[in-house]
Amino acid sequence: MNVKHYIAARAAKELKNGDIVNLGIGIPTLVADHIPPSIRVFLHSENGILGVGPSPDQDQLDPELVNAGKKPVTIKEGSSFFDSASSFAMIRGGHVTVSILGVLQIDAKGRIANWAVPGKSVLGVGGAMDLLEGSKKVIVTTMHVTDKGEPKLVKELTYPMTSERKVDLIITDLAVFAVEEDGLQLIELAPGISLDEVRQKTDAPFRIAESLRTNEVTV
Amino acid sequence: MNKLISYEEAVKKIKSGSRIMVGGFGLVGCPLGLVEALAKANVKDLEIISNNLGEPGRGLGMLVRQKQVKKAIGSYFTSNPEVVQAYQEKELEVELIPQGTMSEAIRAGGAGLGGFYTPVSVGTKIAENKEERILNGKKYVLQEPIKADFALIKAKKADQLGNLIYSKSARNFNPIMATAAEVVIAEVEDVVEVGQLSPEEIVTPHLYVDYIVVKGGN
């Protein structure tokens, strides 16, 4: 099983018919491949598109049609184009229903860091802070630990925080956490993953939901 | 009232030390012909306001490579490693602004506003030196407007008056930058007679546009 596609498929289950959805770079981009055909959602791209479609075939590439990751895209019927100020007014103004974002770290309160790495020159923020501030619901999708095996869910952020706003849901290759008033709550385990493994690889404290279950998402 | 000029005439207006807005999201919607003409001109110490600084040696990346840029104001420069290098070697100053705050600051600049309070970046490193204010129980930071001496923008089509329409996601920062600079120069693919663009489709009305250069033309 491709774990990144598993994470994306689990995230896609959160989407509802009619949602306006902004997908970040990385795993979030894969969510588009897992949206159930029974619902219709509209993908917003902060460089000025509502109604983003799938990637084009090589012979259909249009250099003036890219997403926020600067990758070629297509548009769906009913799509529209707008300038950057309008696009971010949509985001900040709460008109984007769900943003699905990648993350470097998440703290015990559900606040995230996803724009800068300590010790490196901080030369890019892009739309990360705007999306976090304005989206009605924020879902983060991430591998549970870094490439070096370090937990990404930490007691306190050591990377610069992106926003004081907490995210709503955290989906990793091992588990799903809801962010509640009092902190993180483990609500699901990925298929084949034990509670012990999640405990071992999570630095942030979390509560275990009474309804904890193993989800049945497969890809 | 002829707004059509050549690339050379356009670039002659720009002096060293100018503050210049340049449209585009990466290379998409960037007025590449004007930037190339600027790279050939003997101007330096430029202050560039643009979301990114192109790619290594491409678009605004050319100006970085030739050390013509003194300061860059934008949201995302990490996509060009030469920018990171120039910054580390202290050849380039950088002011980082969240993309939505930047685009709104340019809009505010063009709309005659003294600034605005935004919730974006509150409590983060970016807001460290910004005035914070609580309005209706929520925290905001003050963002001042952004204006420039010049705006170099890219549009798909102009009419002879300077009304502009854009192409797809190449629109991005161009229409707002058209409102926020003393001198606005638009690079276009094509110029049509007045009346050939529908009033309903015009995105940038001509009053914002000072000069037009036609892509590939002289």
Side-chain angles (χ1 to χ4, degrees), chain A residues 136-210:
Chain A
K136 279 203 181 123
K137 180 174 183 176
V138 177
I139 299 171
V140 294
T141 54
T142 178
M143 297 300 285
H144 204 88
V145 297
T146 66
D147 292 344
K148 291 179 185 161
E150 293 158 350
K152 284 193 165 193
L153 285 91
V154 294
K155 289 187 191 79
E156 283 181 28
L157 300 175
T158 54
Y159 288 32
M161 185 174 71
T162 307
S163 172
E164 289 182 342
R165 186 246 170 104
K166 302 167 186 175
V167 302
D168 298 285
L169 195 69
I170 301 158
I171 302 173
T172 78
D173 51 325
L174 305 184
V176 181
F177 297 86
V179 178
E180 307 287 349
E181 273 303 307
D182 59 347
L184 309 182
Q185 187 173 34
L186 177 66
I187 58 172
E188 282 176 32
L189 297 169
I193 302 300
S194 69
L195 179 56
D196 274 353
E197 183 174 358
V198 174
R199 279 200 173 114
Q200 196 191 337
K201 293 180 175 173
T202 308
D203 177 40
F206 59 87
R207 282 193 297 125
I208 298 165
E210 279 177 25

Side-chain angles (χ1 to χ4, degrees), chain B residues 40-75:
Chain B
K40 286 180 189 155
N42 186 25
V43 289
K44 54 183 177 88
D45 295 330
L46 301 174
E47 200 171 310
I48 301 289
I49 300 156
S50 193
N51 192 51
N52 322 90
L53 281 176
E55 293 175 10
R58 295 180 70 199
L60 289 168
M62 275 191 287
L63 305 185
V64 175
R65 188 172 277 182
Q66 297 182 170
K67 306 189 194 313
Q68 289 173 279
V69 186
K70 186 177 152 218
K71 183 176 179 184
I73 301 166
S75 91

Side-chain angles (χ1 to χ4, degrees), chain B residues 190-205:
Chain B
D190 201 11
V191 181
V192 298
E193 294 298 325
V194 175
Q196 289 195 352
L197 299 178
S198 157
E200 296 286 4
E201 71 177 327
I202 291 167
V203 176
T204 296

Side-chain angles (χ1 to χ4, degrees), chain A residues 62-66 68 70 81-85 88 92 115 121-126 129-130 133 160-162 164, chain B residues 25-26 28 52 75 77 84 88 96 98-101 103 118-121 123-124 126 138-139 167-169 172-173:
Chain A
D62 182 336
E64 297 195 320
L65 199 49
V66 300
K70 303 193 176 90
F81 300 120
F82 31 84
D83 67 61
S84 302
F88 280 94
R92 229 179 14 246
W115 68 286
S121 304
V122 179
L123 294 176
V125 60
M129 291 184 176
D130 306 270
E133 172 58 43
M161 185 174 71
T162 307
E164 289 182 342
Chain B
F25 186 82
V28 180
N52 322 90
S75 91
F77 299 122
V84 180
Q88 285 167 347
L96 207 58
Q99 200 174 143
T101 303
S103 52
T118 175
V120 174
S121 85
T124 71
I126 295 243
K138 190 174 158 105
K139 283 189 272 186
S167 175
K168 302 169 192 148
S169 61
N172 56 63
F173 288 86

